[in-house]
Amino acid sequence: MNKGAAGGLGGGAGAGSGPTAAAAAAAAQKQKTLVQRVEGDIANIVDNFSHLVNVARVNDPLVRNSQEAFMMEMRAARMVQAADSLLKLVSELKQTAIFSGFASLNDHVEQRRIEFNQLAEKTDHTLSRVGEEAAASLKELESHYSSSALKTMQNLQP
């Protein structure tokens, strides 16, 4: 039975250096290991099945040799082990697909959160600038009003 490293299939990432290149290399290695496990387990099943068929051929004597019976049991057990290994591999692939989907979703959520935080900062800056401009315009208007002739007329009237 082939006992390789557990994991899932990884998609290709961009070339370059850093975490993305390291993740791509790790995913490629994991994919290679999984393919080797699948090929080994399937070869094991086929090999044991062919040996089982060869041992199970009907011989002239009606009574089978105990060694042949043992060989049949051993080959059948090895087939079951290889099939179990394939089932475990399928389970690992499903889990990896689910968890990588969550990881991808989390990455997307984190990216959107950063974008929204940047947008919020930009909006705050714009609102602050608009507030400062409004305050400056209001001061200018107050200054014009206080120095205007209309105000001086209103102050002269009783």
Side-chain angles (χ1 to χ4, degrees), residues 52-117:
L52 184 64
V53 169
N54 286 335
V55 172
R57 288 196 177 142
V58 177
N59 295 329
D60 289 340
L62 294 176
V63 179
R64 294 227 170 137
N65 186 336
S66 64
Q67 183 178 4
E68 289 176 342
F70 174 73
M71 289 295 289
M72 288 175 58
E73 288 178 21
M74 182 189 68
R75 294 295 179 174
R78 286 184 181 171
M79 285 177 59
V80 169
Q81 288 175 343
D84 185 54
S85 176
L86 283 174
L87 288 173
K88 287 178 182 177
L89 180 63
V90 168
S91 176
E92 290 172 17
L93 288 172
K94 286 179 181 178
Q95 287 178 351
T96 301
I98 289 169
F99 293 136
S100 77
F102 284 140
S104 172
L105 181 62
N106 287 340
D107 290 343
H108 180 70
V109 167
E110 180 64 19
Q111 180 184 4
R112 294 293 288 173
R113 187 190 64 81
I114 290 169
E115 290 173 10
F116 287 136
N117 283 343

